[in-house]
């Protein structure tokens, strides 16, 4: 059989995601069933008596054996049944699907800003080690890892909302007077532009700016640090010396030769950055009352709405695996060295 | 009366200690940033140990007459919505915040070292099972996993510690596994085995100490992250309950007053949090200089 090596590599990477998925499903299952504390009590809510708890235990199948329960759980997942939220009475899957675009819009906007600032910053810092850009880069990196996201968010709210009055109140994605744009992608910014409604688009952008900036400041640090290190390594290697000796322009050496090679380790560390970003997303959503799945989970945690929390953890983990998968597949496809050795 | 100490012992005893101290002094004075980090670290330790006796007010005493006052000579950091002194609360909170993260990092360190050591030394199925479990933990966004654990196991401070320990564990386990694995067949290990040491003894007393220098740096860098995680969890309402003074929950309470301009409620606990994280990050870099001069950045 002659399968192109790239396709085979991509297929192997896809297969590698299977154990991760299995592990995630097992852990989210164990989180409800095997830990101390009675899930029936959580699912029944705070006001339940012994009889209704017993009834819920039977209805949830908690009186059966663990393997049996696991099979039921996997079956439920396969049909998209994540249970019902006790606080809103809605199916958890439904709520997560309606709220997911808000979280994705925020996270992706933040990542775009972070990459857009961090990569040039890292490149400039590496070209002039110990120059002022390098010092600025080091400062940003140290501050970025030390600042709690929720604190940065509050500081930005104080400065730009209370003092300067430039930003709208940190209350969700839109003004109260504006209607959300017609649902196409669920990303308000894109939807508003598609609908041609400039006023709504401006309002969306104004509401998005501070939370996205907060999250970006947090994710910027690891990307800038990695870019700087990878660029330093690339610039010090022999093919750069050769390119210099051959008289290539400085710009061509920097962008085409060094950056292209340096980006590969940066892309692989993006996985870790996603892990941080998805976690920090929860905190940012709480600060800005952003109606995404993070604030949904926080509200659910307060009232011990366990089905909702479990659905949230599962969604976040699946999202994380998916993002990593996309990154690795892109990496496999764009790296010309992969697949040649075999 | 003291018996005269033989000169050779007197010379052999304190000499290495002096050398280490001199090296420490060299590092601290050579890099002023590290010196600052050590000073800040001492400040945090003092606040954690003696905080309750140093503060001017009872951190729980409410005073409705003096609610929401901006910083003044009487209340350096102002007062909160119940008239409690913010300075006192910030200082007293140091102990709880540090205790949570020290306990979590210590647990992660011990458990990670055992798992990583066994996996790296014995290899085979232990290594595969341990590796698979660690990969599964890492397949989650770590903060989200911690949220899920605390929600499932119960909303208590102990569970915050366990959850933070669990999400830190893979970093230690992987590091110890790598360090042990590299030296598994080294000459000194074979010599130890030939002189009749058992496997576990070799692992604990011959191989594991070699992993300690990089582990110490990891501990310091990890402490900052653990503090951030624990504070983040209490910020969203997990673990610590009001009115207990804790930085994360104080920022969360202060957040409601930011939009009306009362900045001091959230700023000071947030700044304390930032300072603690910053201290441990700097200390980690300083420790790296101390134990491993070659990897200086």
């Amino acid at each position: 059989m002659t399968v192109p090596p790239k396709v085979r590599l991509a297929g192997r990477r896809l297969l590698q995601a299977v154990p991760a998925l299995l592990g995630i499903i097992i852990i989210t299952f164990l989180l409800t069933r095997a830990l101390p504390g009675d899930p029936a009590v959580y699912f029944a809510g705070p006001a339940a008596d012994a009889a209704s708890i017993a009834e819920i235990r039977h209805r949830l199948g908690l009186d059966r054996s663990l393997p049996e329960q696991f099979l039921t759980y996997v079956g439920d997942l396969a049909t998209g049944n994540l249970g019902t939220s006790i606080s809103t009475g809605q199916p958890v899957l439904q709520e997560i699907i309606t709220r997911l675009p808000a979280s994705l819009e925020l996270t992706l906007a933040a990542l775009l800003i972070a990459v857009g600032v961090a990569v040039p910053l890292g490149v400039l810092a590496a070209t002039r080690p110990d120059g002022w850009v390098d010092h600025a880069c080091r400062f940003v990196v140290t501050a970025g890892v030390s600042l709690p996201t929720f604190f940065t968010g509050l500081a930005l709210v104080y400065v730009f909302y209370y003092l300067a009055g430039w930003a709208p109140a940190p209350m969700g994605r839109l003004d109260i007077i504006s209607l959300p744009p017609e649902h196409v992608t669920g990303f308000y910014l894109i939807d508003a532009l598609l609908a041609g409604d400039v006023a709504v688009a401006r309002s969306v952008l104004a509401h998005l700016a501070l939370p996205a900036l907060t999250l970006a400041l947090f994710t910027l640090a690891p990307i800038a640090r990695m870019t700087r290190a990878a660029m330093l390594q690339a610039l010090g290697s022999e093919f750069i010396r050769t390119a210099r000796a051959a008289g290539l322009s400085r710009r061509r050496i920097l962008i085409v030769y060094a950056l292209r090679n340096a980006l590969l380790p940066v892309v692989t560390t993006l996985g870790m950055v996603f892990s941080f970003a998805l976690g920090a997303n929860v905190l940012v959503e709480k600060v800005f009352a952003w109606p995404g799945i993070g604030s949904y989970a926080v509200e659910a945690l307060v009232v011990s709405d366990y089905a909702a929390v479990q659905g949230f953890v599962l969604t976040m983990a699946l999202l994380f695996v998916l993002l990593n998968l996309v990154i690795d597949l892109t990496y496999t496809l764009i790296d010309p060295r992969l697949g040649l050795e075999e | 009366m003291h018996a005269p100490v033989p000169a050779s012992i007197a010379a052999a005893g304190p000499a290495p200690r002096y050398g280490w101290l001199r090296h420490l002094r060299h590092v601290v004075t050579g890099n002023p940033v590290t010196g600052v980090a050590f000073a800040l670290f001492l400040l945090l330790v003092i606040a954690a140990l003696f905080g309750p006796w140093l503060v001017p007010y009872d951190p729980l005493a409410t005073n409705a007459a003096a609610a929401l006052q901006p910083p003044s000579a009487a209340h350096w950091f102002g007062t909160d919505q119940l008239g409690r002194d913010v300075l006192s609360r910030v200082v007293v909170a140091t102990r709880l915040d540090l205790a949570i993260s020290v306990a979590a990092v210590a647990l992660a360190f011990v458990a990670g070292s055992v798992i990583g050591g066994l996996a790296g030394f014995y290899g085979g199925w232990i290594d595969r099972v341990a590796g698979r479990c660690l990969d599964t933990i890492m397949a989650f966004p770590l903060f989200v996993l911690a949220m899920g654990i605390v929600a499932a196991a119960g909303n208590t401070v102990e569970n915050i510690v366990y959850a933070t320990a669990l999400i830190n564990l893979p970093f230690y386990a992987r590091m110890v596994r790598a360090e042990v694995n590299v030296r598994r067949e080294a000459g000194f290990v074979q010599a130890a085995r030939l002189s009749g040491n058992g496997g576990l003894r070799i692992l604990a007393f011959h191989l594991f100490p070699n992993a300690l220098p990089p582990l110490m740096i990891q501990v310091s860098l990890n402490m900052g992250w653990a503090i951030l995680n624990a504070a983040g969890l209490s910020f969203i309402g997990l673990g610590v309950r009001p009115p207990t003074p804790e930085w994360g929950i104080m920022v969360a309470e202060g957040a409601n007053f930011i939009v009306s301009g009362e900045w001091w409620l959230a700023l000071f606990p947030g700044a304390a949090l930032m300072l603690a994280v910053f201290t441990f990050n700097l200390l980690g870099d300083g420790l790296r200089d101390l134990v491993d001069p070659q990897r200086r950045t």
Side-chain angles (χ1 to χ4, degrees), chain B residues 208-259:
Chain B
F208 181 64
N210 282 293
L212 276 175
L215 271 176
M216 283 297 121
I217 299 162
Q218 179 74 15
V219 164
S220 182
L221 293 175
N222 225 214
M223 272 294 289
W225 197 60
I227 294 175
L228 273 186
N229 265 313
L233 288 174
S234 54
F235 179 77
I236 57 173
L238 289 176
V240 187
R241 310 263 176 172
T244 315
E246 192 275 342
W247 295 332
I249 208 162
M250 287 173 73
V251 177
E253 287 178 346
N256 303 321
F257 296 92
I258 280 281
V259 284

Side-chain angles (χ1 to χ4, degrees), chain A residues 16 19-20 22-25 27-28 31-32 35-37 42 138 142-143 145-151 154-155 157-158 161-162 169-170 218 225 228 272 274-276 278-280 282-283 286-287 294 297-298 301-302 306 309 312-314 316-318 320-321 324, chain B residues 132-133 135-145 147-155 159 171 225 228 231-233 235-238 247-248 251-252 254-256 258-263 266-271 273-275 277-279 281-282 285 288 297:
Chain A
Q16 278 169 2
L22 210 65
I24 285 171
I25 292 175
I27 296 242
T28 40
L31 274 183
T32 30
L35 279 169
Y42 288 121
R138 195 170 300 163
T142 319
V145 250
S146 304
L147 281 171
T149 353
F150 49 90
F151 184 61
L154 288 172
V157 168
Y158 182 71
Y161 168 69
Y162 181 76
F218 184 70
R225 192 208 295 252
R228 180 179 175 273
M272 208 58 228
F274 280 138
S275 170
F276 290 145
L278 290 177
V282 179
L283 301 171
K286 174 156 193 312
V287 170
V298 171
L301 277 175
V302 175
Y306 202 73
V309 178
F312 160 76
V313 173
L314 189 68
M316 282 298 215
L318 292 181
F320 183 45
V321 169
N324 275 329
Chain B
R132 186 58 74 207
C133 290
D135 284 350
T136 306
I137 296 177
M138 298 294 285
F140 283 89
L142 293 175
F143 185 74
V144 171
L145 180 62
M147 278 172 71
I149 293 173
V150 177
N155 196 349
N159 287 330
F171 299 102
W225 197 60
L228 273 186
L233 288 174
F235 179 77
I236 57 173
L238 289 176
W247 295 332
V251 177
N256 303 321
I258 280 281
V259 284
S260 50
E262 281 97 7
W263 50 268
L267 175 82
F268 292 110
L273 190 56
M274 203 177 75
L275 201 70
V277 179
F278 195 59
T279 303
N281 284 344
L282 286 181
D285 292 341
R288 175 161 29 204
T297 46

Side-chain angles (χ1 to χ4, degrees), chain B residues 50-68:
Chain B
F50 307 111
W53 296 288
L54 294 175
V55 294
Y57 296 90
D58 179 354
L60 296 178
T62 56
N63 177 7
L68 286 178

Side-chain angles (χ1 to χ4, degrees), chain B residues 24 31 45 60 79 95 99 108 114 135 160 176 202 213 221 248 265 279:
Chain B
L24 177 73
N31 186 352
V45 171
L60 296 178
T79 58
R95 182 183 293 179
V114 171
D135 284 350
I160 293 264
V176 174
I202 294 175
L221 293 175
L265 267 68
T279 303

